[in-house]
Amino acid sequence: MTLLALGINHRTATVAVREQVAFTPTQLESALAELRSLPHISEAAVLSTCNRTELYCVTDAAGEQTVLDWLGRFHNLRVEELTRCAYHYHDNDAARHLMRVAVGLDSMVLGEPQILGQLKEAYQQARQAKGLGGELERLFQHTFAVAKQVRTETGIGKNPVSVAYAAVSMASRIFDDFSRANALLIGAGETIELVARHLHEAGVRQLTVANRTRERAERVSSSLGGTAITLPEIPDALERADIVISSTASPLPILGKGMVERALKKRRHRPVFMVDIAVPRDIEPEVGELADVFLYTVDDLEEVIEENRRHRQVAADQAESLIEHGVGSWQQERRVRNGGEVIRDFRRHGESLRDQARDQALERLAKGEDPAKVVERLAHQLANRFMHQPTLTIREAAAQENHDLLSAAPRLLLPPKPAFEQPAPSAKRQKDDTPA
């Protein structure tokens, strides 16, 4: 079986494609069940964020195309379109990719910490859906251990910078005085919590958090002295908002061009800074056509993110080294496990042959046959039965000139030869060598 990592991210696909391939929280349960039930797939996990959708599977040789075809069917996309922007890794490369994702080396913001939490959530969802077997379970656990080591031993996580921070940083280039700005945040997840905290630390005091449920919005806004509202109340809040940052899991846009246009008229066309962090997008792209709106998506944050990347490159190089060590140790553990499975199968086979020969010998003894002859026959049968399959395999390897198998056979089947002892020096040689 092969370990496969297949997906798209911010480097390979535009936000328009990423939002089509993203899984909403309500889709994940059915998606995992479907993916796990596919032929050629024995284990599966799904990671879906604003910047990437990735499938981790244990498959056979035909599994990769099966997964790609299924992803296209699930999201009503042509496989050819997916193939153009999808990447895939196998075995060690798949493990390395997962570890790089976990520590933020593959993120838009180098070293951003949120991805590890998102990966842990994906792991828990896969476990609940019974999508994990021994292979993916051990890989995820090993990955979390490597990520912890990287965070502990390098500076990759110091002064963490996220997409949320980048959004606020970009807003600071437009607003000289945050204390006079009114901010509207849509959503109540981890990203919006970070945005709210960064805005508060930057000086924003007029903060409104909108969410489907008021309780979740209050959880984010209360500690920062903000106001909580529900989604139907957004049009009124939009009239007062100078900054709008949105990150929800809604499959459809929350802010349309008409709603924003009406709010601008009541604002007397005072400009509004908007950042849409969500994938699929929360704000209709047409909103950006309005004269008094500065609309940015996650792809527009690249300049701020690149500056962060330069500062963290040294720590990233150290992290890459730790990941290589982590991949090596995972590979070694995997080899040991695979060897253990072969050993268990071999021992079970040997014990089966032993039991058959023993039972036959006991039957002969019960019939009163000569014990010496029974023992001799038992030894003869055991030797023949143990040697039968290896003998056939070696003959077949010789006929096919399979030199790798032929060279390995003596190490597997024969005891090591004793080392030759060096002859003791003769008395005459000792005498000759004695210095004068």
Side-chain angles (χ1 to χ4, degrees):
M1 299 299 284
T2 298
L3 175 64
L4 169 69
L6 183 147
I8 65 168
N9 65 16
H10 58 282
R11 292 191 184 90
T12 67
T14 63
V15 66
V17 174
R18 297 202 305 274
E19 65 185 358
Q20 292 182 73
V21 182
F23 292 89
T24 65
T26 55
Q27 290 176 322
L28 268 177
E29 185 176 352
S30 61
L32 281 166
E34 286 186 26
L35 185 56
R36 176 65 181 79
S37 66
L38 292 175
H40 314 293
I41 309 299
S42 60
E43 302 179 41
V46 176
L47 172 65
S48 186
T49 74
C50 62
N51 282 328
R52 72 182 62 247
T53 293
E54 295 182 339
L55 311 177
Y56 293 89
C57 304
V58 176
T59 78
D60 61 19
E64 181 175 327
Q65 190 61 47
T66 299
V67 171
L68 196 60
D69 291 342
W70 171 82
L71 187 61
R73 287 197 306 273
F74 193 95
H75 292 295
N76 296 316
L77 285 170
R78 292 185 301 109
V79 174
E80 295 79 11
E81 186 176 355
L82 277 175
T83 303
R84 283 196 294 270
C85 56
Y87 47 82
H88 53 86
Y89 301 98
H90 299 100
D91 293 328
N92 290 346
D93 290 334
R96 180 180 295 104
H97 177 73
L98 180 61
M99 293 178 199
R100 296 187 78 254
V101 169
V103 301
L105 292 181
D106 196 60
S107 295
M108 179 181 287
V109 178
L110 183 65
E112 59 96 1
Q114 284 72 43
I115 187 62
L116 181 58
Q118 293 166 330
L119 191 60
K120 288 182 177 180
E121 184 177 350
Y123 161 75
Q124 290 296 341
Q125 290 167 333
R127 286 193 71 185
Q128 293 169 6
K130 302 188 186 307
L132 301 184
E135 186 75 9
L136 281 183
E137 174 72 36
R138 284 186 287 263
L139 175 60
F140 273 101
Q141 292 295 341
H142 192 88
T143 296
F144 297 149
V146 170
K148 181 179 180 180
Q149 182 185 14
V150 169
R151 294 285 171 184
T152 302
E153 298 183 13
T154 75
I156 196 83
K158 291 181 179 178
N159 301 316
V161 178
S162 62
V163 170
Y165 179 89
V168 175
S169 178
M170 183 173 283
S172 68
R173 301 179 182 182
I174 297 176
F175 295 92
D176 294 329
D177 185 2
F178 266 143
S179 65
R180 300 172 60 185
N182 192 320
L184 170 62
L185 309 183
I186 304 175
E190 184 179 4
T191 299
I192 287 297
E193 286 191 57
L194 284 171
V195 169
R197 195 179 310 142
H198 290 317
L199 284 172
H200 185 76
E201 292 171 354
V204 172
R205 294 295 174 263
Q206 301 176 71
L207 190 69
T208 302
V209 179
N211 192 56
R212 184 174 57 84
T213 60
R214 190 181 299 273
E215 293 76 16
R216 289 285 300 275
E218 287 175 346
R219 180 173 59 81
V220 176
S221 63
S222 59
S223 63
L224 303 175
T227 303
I229 64 173
T230 58
L231 298 185
E233 298 174 85
I234 286 178
D236 290 336
L238 198 57
E239 298 173 13
R240 301 183 298 274
D242 305 301
I243 300 170
V244 178
I245 301 178
S246 186
S247 177
T248 77
S250 173
L252 298 173
I254 292 175
L255 298 186
K257 183 178 180 181
M259 181 193 298
V260 176
E261 200 165 19
R262 287 189 292 273
L264 286 173
K265 289 179 180 178
K266 293 183 179 181
R267 288 173 56 82
R268 297 183 179 179
H269 295 280
R270 282 183 292 118
V272 182
F273 171 80
M274 293 185 171
V275 180
D276 188 353
I277 304 176
V279 177
R281 282 174 282 194
D282 284 339
I283 305 174
E284 287 183 351
E286 292 77 12
V287 171
E289 299 171 1
L290 297 173
D292 301 302
V293 173
F294 299 90
L295 174 62
Y296 300 90
T297 68
V298 288
D299 289 351
D300 297 315
L301 304 178
E302 190 64 41
E303 181 182 345
V304 177
I305 289 162
E306 185 56 35
E307 183 178 350
N308 163 71
R309 186 180 297 275
R310 288 193 295 270
H311 290 310
R312 293 195 173 189
Q313 194 56 55
V314 173
D317 292 342
Q318 295 171 338
E320 294 280 13
S321 178
L322 290 173
I323 286 173
E324 284 305 309
H325 184 269
V327 172
S329 61
W330 174 79
Q331 182 183 25
Q332 184 177 7
E333 291 173 7
R334 197 182 191 205
R335 287 172 177 167
V336 170
R337 288 196 304 273
N338 291 339
E341 292 174 4
V342 173
I343 291 170
R344 283 191 296 273
D345 291 343
F346 178 68
R347 292 187 68 87
R348 277 195 294 266
H349 176 64
E351 289 165 358
S352 176
L353 296 178
R354 176 202 65 196
D355 293 345
Q356 292 174 18
R358 179 200 61 203
D359 293 344
Q360 292 170 358
L362 289 173
E363 288 178 8
R364 293 189 177 93
L365 288 173
K367 293 176 181 178
E369 293 187 22
D370 183 354
K373 290 183 178 180
V374 171
V375 171
E376 183 178 354
R377 183 184 180 91
L378 172 64
H380 182 74
Q381 283 182 334
L382 276 177
N384 279 343
R385 290 176 183 179
F386 274 123
M387 291 186 293
H388 176 68
Q389 187 57 50
T391 300
L392 291 179
T393 302
I394 291 173
R395 286 176 177 170
E396 183 179 349
Q400 297 177 355
E401 296 185 351
N402 187 339
H403 299 295
D404 291 339
L405 183 55
L406 289 173
S407 61
R411 295 185 61 191
L412 292 171
L413 303 175
L414 300 177
K417 295 180 180 180
F420 291 106
E421 296 182 0
Q422 295 295 330
S426 64
K428 183 177 183 304
R429 177 64 180 271
Q430 288 179 344
K431 183 177 180 180
D432 292 344
D433 290 344
T434 303

